[in-house]
Amino acid sequence: MIIIRFINQILKYSGRKRAQDAVQVALQYSRSLIEASLDPLVTISAEGKITDLNTATEVVTGADRASLIGSDFADYFTDPEKARNGYQKVFSQGYVTDYPLAIRHVSSKVTDVLYNASVYYNAKGEVAGAFAAARDVTERKRAEEAMQAALQYSRSLIEASLDPLVTISAEGKITDLNTATEVVTGADRASLIGSDFADYFTDPEKARNGYQKVFSQGYVTDYPLAIRHVSGKITDVIYNASVYYNAKGEVAGVFAAARDADLALTATIFESQEGMFITGANAVIRRINKAFTNITGYTTEDSVGQKFKILRLDSQIEVHTAEDSIGQKFELLSPDSDDETFYTESWGIINNTGMWTGETMGKRKNGEIYPLNLSVPAVKDIKGVVTNYVATLTDITKSKAASDKIKDLAFYDTLTHLPNRRMLMDKLKQALTARSGSGAVLFLDLDRFKSLNDTLGHDMGDALLKQVANRLHKCIRSSDTVARLGGDEFIVLLEGLSEQHIVAAAQAKTTAEILLNALNLPYQLGSYKQLSTASIGVTLFSDHKTDPHTIIKQADIAIYQAKNAGRNAFRFYDPKMQEVISNRVDMERDLHQAIEQQQFQLYYQLQVDSMDRPLRAEALLRWQHPERNTIPPLEFIPLAEEIGLILPIGQWVLDTACAQLATWQKNSHKKHFIISVNVSAKQLAQEDFVAQVKKTIEHHGIDSTKLKLELTESMLIENVDNIISKMNALSKIGVRFSLDDFGTGYSSLQYLKKLPFCQLKIDQSFVRDITDDESDLAIVSTIIAMAHSLDLDVIAEGVEVKEQKQLLANKGCLQFQGYLFGKPMPIDAFMASL
């Protein structure tokens, strides 16, 4: 239209020739623009005929210019009528924009286009035709159609959901919803759209907080709310919600899905670790969970539609696939429960009581038999008619094995697999209540087992215990019991002995002799052949009111009698031994109190030279008992050694003696005094013994050369190299050593040469009769001569008369200790005697 006006102006204001030239230029320019366009362009007459076109029109229609010029514009569209309506609309209103049409190519290919068209005018200002430009929108239309399909699919999914689904705007208004939302609220779609989402909950504020939380963090999961139906019914739900975005990537709203809380809980339970399956009233399985498949090996295809047969196995049918299993009996439970009566009774229990539960055996798909716990409750409707069975099963293979293991640990000894103390006590209680004759308990304790453990090692000790257990088991009747209490202690329980006491004692005696003979045979421990013996304490019982613990205690007491008899023996319980044991228990208790209440005291006994001049003192321990007065060490030291209290007592003696040395060192007349301290075997065996002595010396700041440690020969039997190492370490700092009670033990002269002793002490047992017994005199003479040959001092203890001193001096012993020079006495009395 602009071009026509331009031409008219030229014709009006220019000469004809010049005007014609200008028209040609304008037309040529217009033609160039039209041809350059990639969009189809046409001009149409008022009659709807094509009057001009460009090459793009030829391409999109597949027709050439000659056939297109003068043809009906509408003929080239899939909907000619719509095309005519379009250009008629242009002529009526002057233009159209984005008018959708579809051009059909001569090959039948269709191109979707949008037309923009407007009229143009002739020189008189009259409408001469329409100019139309098409834009190919095929791909866009396909995309729109795909989007519409996706939206329709999404809408179908939303509508198909049984859970209430809604979309919510940023203002909290409902923008879309599904039918499930209408059902749960009781409101129709029209009233819900645009309403406040929070208004349909029992707690609107909590609902608002929920969707605000979604907008702030992008999502919420398992958000609990309660929807109120218009009728007032409340439905507890759990919401999952997340934001969704528009084309610009901006948050457009929230998509929220609600799940009935009860259904969610049921689903969670159904997908538990326990196998579950649901059947109809006809016991045909409808649904199983994943755990069921994991346990049994049967999948949904294997199981659904199968008949569940409780406590019954139809071994002629194998179930593998759905095709195999339709209408068949479902193999599940015990392969050995083919009893029809039991099968019928089991279903009877379910239908009468509503539940069957118990432990049984199952059979997996692969044929493996396994233990399981099964519970089958019946589900009934409001009329009491069974509608379903909901079965729960648990594979208890591991727990049963663990239970058996726990039972084994609880009642059996792990090393020997014999019954332990707990099972023994149970059996003893049963024997006491059986009232079938009398019985006996034989308490066995291996002799010197600790020494074997220490010398050969615990592995060899365990091997010996296993062999002992095996021998004991072979020696008893099937009705008897052999148990291990722990360590090297065993119990043999004899039942069904004669009701006559004498006969029962004889029967127990015979068994004890058999056991001793069996245990005396050599044991093969690796490459070692070991001999071992045992002591046995025997007690009889016939009074069924007797306490089991009392019986065991009596047998334990009898062991002391057997050990006192020289070991490798058996003794029957003597009631008099009870007093001895009770005294021992009392003393053990009192020893603990003595340490706590510092009831110990050091006495000192003088040691002199041949001129009776004081040289040193021996520190001797005394126990000042609050009720029994002074208790000498021979009465309590062995017990202290046995129960381990000798360690704190020994350290107290060493500490107290060093404190006394520190006091004497401050006195010019006493600073030369030496104190001898007795050291126990357990003290010396401590790994940190050397460190303890050094620490005590440093603590009191004493001259270490004034401390002498006395060891007995019996301490030098085991671990000699270790003892030599410790003695050498202390000798380097000046500590001296004396060998006490020499001649009473079994020390090797070879080791004696290696040990850093400075003195031998002749035991008082040789000195006591030296004036009358030539043998004692000969022994003493030998000891003195040997000490001199080893360049050791020698001192005699227990010197009580001058004749003893003189004889000793004549033989070369020049140092003495005994009542002739002074009794052991407290420090104050000792100092006064000096």
Side-chain angles (χ1 to χ4, degrees):
M1 187 173 69
I2 295 173
I3 295 172
I4 299 300
R5 288 176 180 174
F6 174 67
I7 293 172
N8 290 335
Q9 288 294 320
I10 292 173
L11 293 172
K12 185 177 180 180
Y13 295 107
S14 302
R16 188 172 190 83
K17 183 70 172 72
R18 289 177 61 191
Q20 288 176 345
D21 291 341
V23 167
Q24 288 298 319
V25 170
L27 289 173
Q28 186 61 43
Y29 178 71
S30 300
R31 164 56 52 191
S32 298
L33 288 176
I34 291 171
E35 282 299 328
S37 175
L38 298 178
D39 292 332
L41 304 177
V42 296
T43 56
I44 312 164
S45 69
E47 293 78 23
K49 304 296 183 180
I50 297 174
T51 57
D52 199 3
L53 60 123
N54 66 351
T55 302
T57 303
E58 294 180 80
V59 172
V60 76
T61 60
D64 59 17
R65 180 179 181 84
S67 61
L68 286 167
I69 295 294
S71 65
D72 194 329
F73 172 72
D75 289 344
Y76 298 95
F77 296 95
T78 58
D79 188 346
E81 191 61 32
K82 184 177 180 181
R84 291 187 186 94
N85 291 339
Y87 68 71
Q88 288 171 2
K89 188 175 181 181
V90 175
F91 282 107
S92 64
Q93 65 182 32
Y95 68 94
V96 293
T97 57
D98 293 339
Y99 192 81
L101 287 171
I103 300 173
R104 180 185 288 109
H105 191 273
V106 293
S107 66
S108 298
K109 176 186 175 182
V110 175
T111 302
D112 292 301
V113 295
L114 287 177
Y115 266 99
N116 288 335
S118 61
V119 296
Y120 65 90
Y121 302 88
N122 59 22
K124 299 177 181 180
E126 299 169 340
V127 172
F131 179 80
R135 183 170 73 254
D136 188 338
V137 293
T138 303
E139 292 303 320
R140 190 177 84 177
K141 186 173 181 181
R142 287 177 183 172
E144 288 175 350
E145 288 174 349
M147 182 178 293
Q148 286 298 320
L151 289 173
Q152 186 59 42
Y153 179 71
S154 298
R155 164 52 55 187
S156 299
L157 288 178
I158 290 171
E159 280 301 326
S161 174
L162 299 177
D163 293 332
L165 306 177
V166 296
T167 56
I168 312 164
S169 68
E171 296 77 28
K173 304 298 182 182
I174 295 175
T175 56
D176 198 3
L177 59 121
N178 66 349
T179 303
T181 304
E182 296 180 78
V183 172
V184 77
T185 59
D188 59 22
R189 180 179 182 85
S191 61
L192 286 165
I193 295 292
S195 64
D196 194 327
F197 170 73
D199 290 344
Y200 300 94
F201 297 95
T202 58
D203 188 344
E205 190 62 30
K206 184 177 181 182
R208 291 187 186 95
N209 291 339
Y211 67 71
Q212 287 170 1
K213 188 176 181 181
V214 179
F215 280 108
S216 65
Q217 68 181 32
Y219 68 94
V220 295
T221 57
D222 295 339
Y223 192 81
L225 287 170
I227 299 174
R228 180 186 288 111
H229 191 273
V230 292
S231 66
K233 176 187 174 184
I234 304 298
T235 302
D236 290 310
V237 294
I238 295 173
Y239 264 99
N240 289 333
S242 61
V243 296
Y244 64 90
Y245 302 87
N246 60 21
K248 297 179 180 179
E250 300 166 338
V251 173
V254 168
F255 181 81
R259 166 68 68 87
D260 187 309
D262 290 338
L263 292 176
L265 179 60
T266 301
T268 301
I269 293 172
F270 194 74
E271 292 306 323
S272 69
Q273 296 301 311
E274 294 181 319
M276 297 184 72
F277 59 93
I278 300 173
T279 79
N282 58 356
V284 172
I285 294 176
R286 293 183 177 179
R287 188 179 175 191
I288 65 172
N289 69 350
K290 184 178 180 181
F292 177 89
T293 300
N294 293 339
I295 293 171
T296 68
Y298 291 107
T299 63
T300 300
E301 289 75 13
D302 295 326
S303 311
V304 174
Q306 306 310 304
K307 188 83 170 180
F308 166 63
K309 215 171 184 186
I310 187 169
L311 294 176
R312 162 95 180 219
L313 179 71
D314 187 347
S315 59
Q316 296 178 339
I317 297 198
E318 294 185 1
V319 178
H320 295 291
T321 65
E323 290 74 13
D324 295 331
S325 55
I326 296 292
Q328 303 299 322
K329 302 294 184 183
F330 182 69
E331 288 186 24
L332 179 66
L333 295 180
S334 178
D336 56 0
S337 56
D338 297 326
D339 187 348
E340 186 69 32
T341 302
F342 187 72
Y343 167 70
T344 305
E345 288 177 353
S346 300
W347 276 113
I349 292 172
I350 296 177
N351 293 326
N352 292 332
T353 67
M355 167 78 76
W356 185 93
T357 185
E359 181 179 319
T360 183
M361 300 299 292
K363 186 177 181 181
R364 304 189 208 278
K365 183 176 179 179
N366 62 11
E368 179 188 349
I369 306 302
Y370 66 101
L372 61 92
N373 274 330
L374 181 68
S375 176
V376 187
V379 179
K380 300 180 180 181
D381 60 20
I382 57 175
K383 296 179 180 179
V385 177
V386 173
T387 58
N388 301 92
Y389 298 100
V390 180
T392 303
L393 61 96
T394 306
D395 184 346
I396 58 173
T397 304
K398 292 182 179 179
S399 62
K400 192 170 179 64
S403 176
D404 292 343
K405 180 67 174 176
I406 290 170
K407 182 179 178 181
D408 189 63
L409 291 173
F411 293 102
Y412 291 89
D413 174 58
T414 55
L415 178 66
T416 63
H417 303 294
L418 293 176
N420 61 11
R421 179 185 292 271
R422 177 181 290 182
M423 180 174 277
L424 171 70
M425 298 308 287
D426 286 346
K427 285 185 172 290
L428 185 51
K429 289 176 183 177
Q430 293 171 18
L432 287 169
T433 57
R435 298 184 180 275
S436 56
S438 60
V441 166
L442 284 65
F443 199 136
L444 292 87
D445 183 275
L446 300 184
D447 299 328
R448 298 187 178 88
F449 177 73
K450 183 179 183 303
S451 296
L452 180 142
N453 240 356
D454 292 343
T455 53
L456 297 184
H458 290 280
D459 290 344
M460 291 299 181
D462 288 348
L464 176 66
L465 292 173
K466 290 179 181 179
Q467 292 187 39
V468 168
N470 188 47
R471 292 185 188 185
L472 293 177
H473 194 268
K474 288 180 178 179
C475 291
I476 63 172
R477 304 169 300 176
S478 60
S479 58
D480 300 329
T481 301
V482 57
R484 182 185 177 215
L485 294 190
D488 60 337
E489 295 180 338
F490 296 84
I491 291 281
V492 173
L493 171 62
L494 305 179
E495 298 184 60
L497 301 182
S498 173
E499 293 184 1
Q500 297 181 21
H501 186 76
I502 298 299
V503 178
Q507 292 172 327
K509 176 178 179 293
T510 299
T511 302
E513 290 171 341
I514 292 172
L515 295 177
L516 285 180
N517 290 334
L519 298 179
N520 282 344
L521 297 175
Y523 297 86
Q524 191 66 44
L525 304 178
S527 60
Y528 298 96
K529 183 166 284 189
Q530 182 72 29
L531 290 174
S532 181
T533 60
S535 298
I536 303 178
V538 184
T539 187
L540 301 174
F541 62 87
S542 57
D543 182 0
H544 300 287
K545 296 180 180 179
T546 307
D547 176 67
H549 294 282
T550 300
I551 294 174
I552 299 296
K553 185 177 181 182
Q554 290 174 354
D556 192 13
I557 290 171
I559 284 182
Y560 282 95
Q561 293 174 283
K563 288 188 178 295
N564 289 337
R567 306 177 190 274
N568 191 25
F570 67 88
R571 290 292 183 272
F572 281 85
Y573 168 68
D574 181 357
K576 293 180 181 178
M577 280 292 294
Q578 183 65 53
E579 183 179 352
V580 176
I581 299 301
S582 296
N583 290 338
R584 173 189 166 89
V585 172
D586 291 342
M587 182 171 285
E588 184 176 337
R589 182 196 62 235
D590 291 350
L591 268 176
H592 284 280
Q593 292 180 354
I595 295 173
E596 295 172 2
Q597 300 173 9
Q598 299 183 348
Q599 295 175 4
F600 295 111
Q601 185 178 4
L602 279 189
Y603 277 39
Y604 297 87
Q605 187 173 28
L606 187 64
Q607 296 178 349
V608 300
D609 63 13
S610 59
M611 303 298 291
D612 293 350
R613 290 175 297 195
L615 294 175
R616 63 187 75 87
E618 181 179 4
L620 300 168
L621 184 64
R622 296 293 184 269
W623 179 6
Q624 302 300 330
H625 195 282
E627 298 175 0
R628 299 171 57 189
N629 299 321
T630 303
I631 301 178
L634 284 177
E635 291 189 26
F636 67 86
I637 288 297
L639 178 60
E641 291 248 13
E642 186 178 334
I643 63 178
L645 291 181
I646 195 65
L647 297 179
I649 292 174
Q651 180 58 37
W652 179 87
V653 170
L654 180 64
D655 191 69
T656 304
C658 288
Q660 186 58 52
L661 278 175
T663 300
W664 282 343
Q665 285 181 185
K666 297 175 184 177
N667 187 321
S668 59
H669 298 294
K670 305 294 186 301
K671 64 181 181 180
H672 68 283
F673 247 59
I674 296 172
I675 292 183
S676 295
V677 176
N678 291 283
V679 175
S680 76
K682 287 197 173 182
Q683 278 181 278
L684 190 60
Q686 294 178 101
E687 289 295 325
D688 62 343
F689 175 71
V690 173
Q692 287 184 28
V693 175
K694 287 182 177 180
K695 183 178 179 180
T696 305
I697 291 172
E698 292 170 2
H699 176 71
H700 293 286
I702 63 169
D703 179 358
S704 57
T705 62
K706 299 300 185 287
L707 176 64
K708 182 181 287 186
L709 302 181
E710 293 195 7
L711 313 180
T712 63
E713 275 191 284
S714 60
M715 297 166 61
L716 307 180
I717 298 175
E718 299 175 0
N719 299 321
V720 180
D721 291 337
N722 184 262
I723 292 173
I724 292 173
S725 175
K726 291 176 180 177
M727 291 176 67
N728 285 333
L730 291 174
S731 293
K732 288 180 181 179
I733 64 170
V735 176
R736 306 182 189 189
F737 290 92
S738 174
L739 184 56
D740 196 10
D741 302 336
F742 186 74
T744 62
Y746 306 94
S747 59
S748 167
L749 295 180
Q750 181 181 358
Y751 284 123
L752 194 59
K753 290 191 299 181
K754 296 180 180 180
L755 293 164
F757 286 110
C758 65
Q759 183 185 68
L760 294 183
K761 180 181 279 191
I762 304 172
D763 187 68
Q764 60 181 332
S765 63
F766 300 125
V767 175
R768 185 181 302 114
D769 299 322
I770 194 174
T771 57
D772 303 317
D773 191 323
E774 291 185 1
S775 296
D776 284 345
L777 181 59
I779 292 173
V780 167
S781 299
T782 302
I783 293 173
I784 294 171
M786 186 177 64
H788 289 166
S789 67
L790 294 172
D791 197 24
L792 299 176
D793 290 338
V794 62
I795 182 172
E797 67 176 358
V799 180
E800 298 182 357
V801 295
K802 291 181 180 180
E803 289 79 10
Q804 292 171 335
K805 176 191 173 187
Q806 190 59 51
L807 272 175
L808 289 166
N810 292 342
K811 296 297 182 181
C813 177
L814 304 177
Q815 297 180 23
F816 314 96
Q817 179 181 344
Y819 280 15
L820 179 61
F821 314 102
K823 296 180 179 181
M825 57 190 74
I827 187 62
D828 292 340
F830 179 77
M831 294 301 295
S833 71
L834 292 179

